[in-house]
Amino acid sequence: MPLELCRTASEFRAACDRVRASGRRLGLVPTMGALHAGHVALVTEARRRADDAAVTIFVNPTQFGPTEDFAKYPRTLESDLAKCEAAGAALVFAPEAGEMYPAGERTRVRVEGLTAHFCGRSRPGHFEGVTTIVAKLFAVAGACTAVFGRKDYQQLKVIQRMTRDLLLPVEVVGFPTVREPDGLALSSRNAYLSADDRARALVLSRSLGAAVRRFDAGERAAGALRLPVQEALCAVGLAPDYVTLGDSETLEPIGDDAEVGDRALLALAVRVGGARLIDNVVLGEDAAPGASP
Ligand code: PAF
């Protein structure tokens, strides 16, 4: 089936309705474009869980802060469409900003609690922008299974909570982080890295991998799991926004003096050259990412 490109919400709604009317289940992959192999894996997962996959491509202005990279965020629609077609997607929704934020709009969707720490602390307003746009995309797409990457673990948890709280007819599932062979998590923002920055960025996955190995060897002291990650970043001249250990469901931070239980989220954000990168592992669940140092 050839890929169908929808530019308006009403076209996309009608196309999604047609999928369901023909007895097929819809899989949805919301993205901001600049698609890479991680996004392609999400489309493949959506097709595995549903019959037809729809990809949304929209660089959402409300989730960027005033000093962030909205203007320079890569916009590569032609090659994105080719990747969607090659991945077997049936639909792409690529609206203009005025379609998603009609003139005079005054509505925002906010999830409390889960957004208080990790990226919510260092990017005020970010998750309100994310939940607002994702609620709109879900409202247009209707009943479906939506697939999100676990690299944005906090985003996944926030969207799952929003979907539950707003009674939306969407099953929200997470898919494991896709990495380069040397461990670097795939991200559209990796395009901003120079060769030197890219080499330095390997410390993210390697230090998280070392934490997984300490946890798997029996370490449960929060500080002994978290602090070496922070020190590894600082040792290569990086100044992290945060390196935080927290409950993997409530996202409440765990202090360095506490003990962790069977599972815990260890997540970080750090600027490397021109890119703000994030990465995470769920201790007790994820295998160690990255090649050994
Ligand atoms: O993860 C992303 O690419 C974005 O935050 C999302 C979920 C598409 C909302 O704009």
Side-chain angles (χ1 to χ4, degrees), residues 30-32 60 63 130 133-134 148 155:
T31 80
M32 296 206 297
N60 173 36
Q63 68 188 77
V130 170
I133 194 63
V134 173
F148 293 85
Q155 170 174 281

Side-chain angles (χ1 to χ4, degrees), residues 31 34 45 77 81 130 139 201 205 207 220 235 239 289:
T31 80
E45 178 68 4
L77 185 60
L81 292 176
V130 170
S205 54
S207 59
R220 292 293 181 272

Side-chain angles (χ1 to χ4, degrees), residues 177-189:
T177 302
V178 179
R179 297 178 182 279
E180 302 278 8
D182 60 11
L184 183 69
L186 295 192
S187 164
S188 303
R189 292 190 166 96

Side-chain angles (χ1 to χ4, degrees), residues 53-92:
V55 179
T56 70
I57 298 177
F58 180 65
V59 185
N60 173 36
T62 62
Q63 68 188 77
F64 290 80
T67 61
E68 294 184 353
D69 57 342
F70 174 67
K72 75 166 185 176
Y73 198 86
R75 288 158 171 88
T76 56
L77 185 60
E78 284 312 310
S79 71
D80 290 347
L81 292 176
K83 285 175 189 166
C84 289
E85 181 139 46
L91 302 172
V92 168

Side-chain angles (χ1 to χ4, degrees), residues 114-201:
L114 288 173
T115 55
H117 304 286
F118 297 92
C119 284
R121 203 182 189 89
S122 50
R123 298 184 75 187
H126 167 70
F127 285 114
E128 184 171 298
V130 170
T131 42
T132 298
I133 194 63
V134 173
K136 289 175 188 237
L137 293 170
F138 285 0
V140 178
C144 63
T145 297
V147 186
F148 293 85
R150 280 170 61 108
K151 183 170 78 67
D152 297 276
Y153 187 90
Q154 184 176 21
Q155 170 174 281
L156 171 67
K157 291 290 161 192
V158 169
I159 291 170
Q160 282 174 330
R161 177 64 60 89
M162 172 198 77
T163 305
R164 194 194 76 173
D165 290 357
L166 295 181
L167 312 179
L168 300 175
V170 179
E171 178 196 24
V172 178
V173 298
F175 187 77
T177 302
V178 179
R179 297 178 182 279
E180 302 278 8
D182 60 11
L184 183 69
L186 295 192
S187 164
S188 303
R189 292 190 166 96
N190 291 351
Y192 303 151
L193 296 172
S194 68
D196 281 356
D197 291 336
R198 180 163 182 327
R200 273 202 308 168

